[in-house]
Every structure is written in structure tokens, then in C-alpha cells.
Amino acid sequence: MSRPVLRAIDTGPARQGHLTLGMAQLSPFGLSEQWLLRDCGDRHWGLIADAAGSSMAFRDACGTPVYAAFCATSVTWHEAPMLGARATVNSTLHDVAPQRIGSLHTISGAQGSYATVRMISCFLKHDSSGSNTRLLRSGLTTLKDLPKAPAALDHLHLRARMLARLARKATPEQPHFHYRPVPALDFNAVGLLYFPVFSKIAEMAAPRDDRPKQRTVVYLGNLNPGEGTNVSRHGAHSVIRAADRLIGLVETS
């Protein structure tokens, strides 16, 4: 797989990558959701690093580690590529709202568009306790001004806010699925529950025999290693809780 190449264009930070789609990138139904989220998440962080003129190990003005934590992601699937197909990934970074940065990723090839991934993040850091349940808002002082978000990212931002309100107002129901994340498999390098695991938990709670058309995830909290998650279903929505607190909502269509 070739390394992503930074393209200097007038519309802001952007990257284009080319790769051959193999087992790591594909599922029986086309592009793998877990690969898409992990790969595009890494591209999102890389674009922020380019815009901030730093490495992906972000730090605030005091030198405290800062994380580009995802607030919402959405994957839309299109054509299903064949094993061995060549694909191009185009990624751009945008300003979505105060303290919100978004990226748009399009994956395409000879058969047309394979998938679109939209991502919105904010900056968080641990407090002195180091607990994943007590994350604080933060920022990057070196981050350059970014171009305005396209309509696709604005739509995700508004949709995520609406879904978050619905999730917080919903009366907790008896969970029908329980999963205890595995530290070595489900947590990332800074010890947080890795964001693709939310989609994984929702799929495990209600397995499908085909791929969804779209999956949107709103991230509302995190958990510490050793804690378990409980999932309750509300139609197309999976509400994920840890103990007595809400950590995520997943909408599948």
C-alpha cells in the first residue's frame, strides 16, 4: 500500500492515498466497516497534525497530552469492490462548529464510489485522576484556520446533536446485550475505548446478514478497562451504556 500523499490545494488540508484492497480492507459485503473507521480515523488525525504543524501526539500549551476524540462518525456504503481492486482515498479537513473539526473521506475505484466516511471530533484531555470518565475539553493553539464544512458534514453535525438529545431523554430499557471490552483489543494507545468498537458492539448486539446502507455513531462518553457495556434497542437505534451512564448511540439503516 502506498503512503498517503499530502496535496497542497487552496481549500485546506487534504490527503490522497492509493491502495490495493485485500483481506484487511474487505468483508463479505464490500469494504470492511472496522477497517474504514480505523483507516479514516488515522487520516483524520494526520490532517489535524498537518494543519497544526505537529506530530499526531498532540499537546496543549502546557504540554498536556490532548486527543482528537470523535463526537460523531457516519459510514455510507456504495458499490462493493472486488478483492484486489485498486482504490483511491480522498480526505479533506474542515471547521464544523466552535470546538468541532470534521473530515470527509471518499473511497472510490474503477467501479465508482465504494464508500463515504464523515467524521467530527473535538479535543479532550484526561484530568489528574486519569479516568476515562472524567475527560476535559481542550484545544490546539497552533491549529490553523480551516475551510468551512461542506453540507455533508453540517448535516452530520445537526443529526448527531438531535440523536444525542433523544438518547439522553430516553428512559433506560432493559438491556438485551452485554459486552465487556477487552483491553488488548478494544482500547487505543492512550487507554480510551477505541471509537470503532462502538460500531462493533452495535453489530454484535444485532448481527445482520448483509451490510447496512449507513451507520451513524454519536459518542457520548467513554469507559475504563474492566467496565462492561449494556445495549438496548430502540428500532434502528442501539443505545450503549456503561453502568448507569450513557456512552453512545448507534443508528443503522
Side-chain angles (χ1 to χ4, degrees):
M1 182 179 75
S2 61
R3 295 177 63 85
V5 177
L6 177 64
R7 295 184 300 155
I9 60 176
D10 294 335
T11 55
R15 285 189 175 192
Q16 184 180 78
H18 304 279
L19 68 157
T20 300
L21 300 175
M23 293 297 181
Q25 294 82 24
L26 298 173
S27 77
F29 313 118
L31 287 177
S32 163
E33 180 177 18
Q34 289 294 293
W35 172 78
L36 271 172
L37 290 171
R38 290 168 184 264
D39 184 82
C40 292
D42 193 57
R43 294 174 191 273
H44 180 94
W45 275 55
L47 286 168
I48 294 174
D50 292 339
S54 71
S55 71
M56 287 194 287
F58 304 134
R59 293 184 179 274
D60 64 13
C62 298
T64 304
V66 172
Y67 322 122
F70 286 105
C71 308
T73 61
S74 185
V75 178
T76 304
W77 285 267
H78 306 297
E79 297 295 329
M82 302 293 291
L83 183 65
R86 290 285 292 170
T88 298
V89 185
N90 286 299
S91 305
T92 55
L93 190 69
H94 304 271
D95 181 34
V96 175
Q99 306 300 318
R100 293 286 189 276
I101 293 174
S103 62
L104 183 64
H105 312 265
T106 59
I107 301 89
S108 59
Q111 296 169 260
S113 177
Y114 297 142
T116 302
V117 181
R118 297 173 291 162
M119 319 184 96
I120 297 174
S121 68
C122 63
F123 293 106
L124 299 177
K125 63 182 179 180
H126 281 106
D127 71 3
S128 58
S129 72
S131 172
N132 289 346
T133 67
R134 298 177 62 180
L135 297 167
L136 305 175
R137 291 288 178 89
S138 189
L140 290 182
T141 57
T142 60
L143 189 64
K144 299 176 183 177
D145 290 338
L146 298 173
K148 185 180 183 299
L153 283 174
D154 283 337
H155 177 77
L156 175 60
H157 176 59
L158 294 174
R159 183 69 180 167
R161 292 182 62 184
M162 186 199 73
L163 292 174
R165 288 194 297 269
L166 289 175
R168 292 186 175 111
K169 291 179 180 179
T171 301
E173 294 186 4
Q174 186 68 26
H176 77 279
F177 179 78
H178 175 81
Y179 177 71
R180 181 175 176 176
V182 180
L185 301 177
D186 297 327
F187 288 78
N188 64 16
V190 298
L192 293 167
L193 184 67
Y194 199 22
F195 76 98
V197 177
F198 288 72
S199 301
K200 169 185 165 182
I201 292 172
E203 184 67 22
M204 291 171 65
R208 298 172 58 97
D209 295 327
D210 57 3
R211 69 176 183 189
K213 293 180 180 178
Q214 185 175 75
R215 178 134 42 210
T216 300
V217 184
V218 183
Y219 307 89
L220 301 169
N222 212 277
L223 48 73
N224 292 308
E227 291 189 280
T229 62
N230 295 302
V231 182
S232 58
R233 291 276 294 176
H234 301 264
H237 300 136
S238 297
V239 178
I240 305 175
R241 297 180 180 275
D244 59 350
R245 66 185 187 278
L246 180 67
I247 66 168
L249 182 140
V250 182
E251 181 180 62
T252 306
S253 60

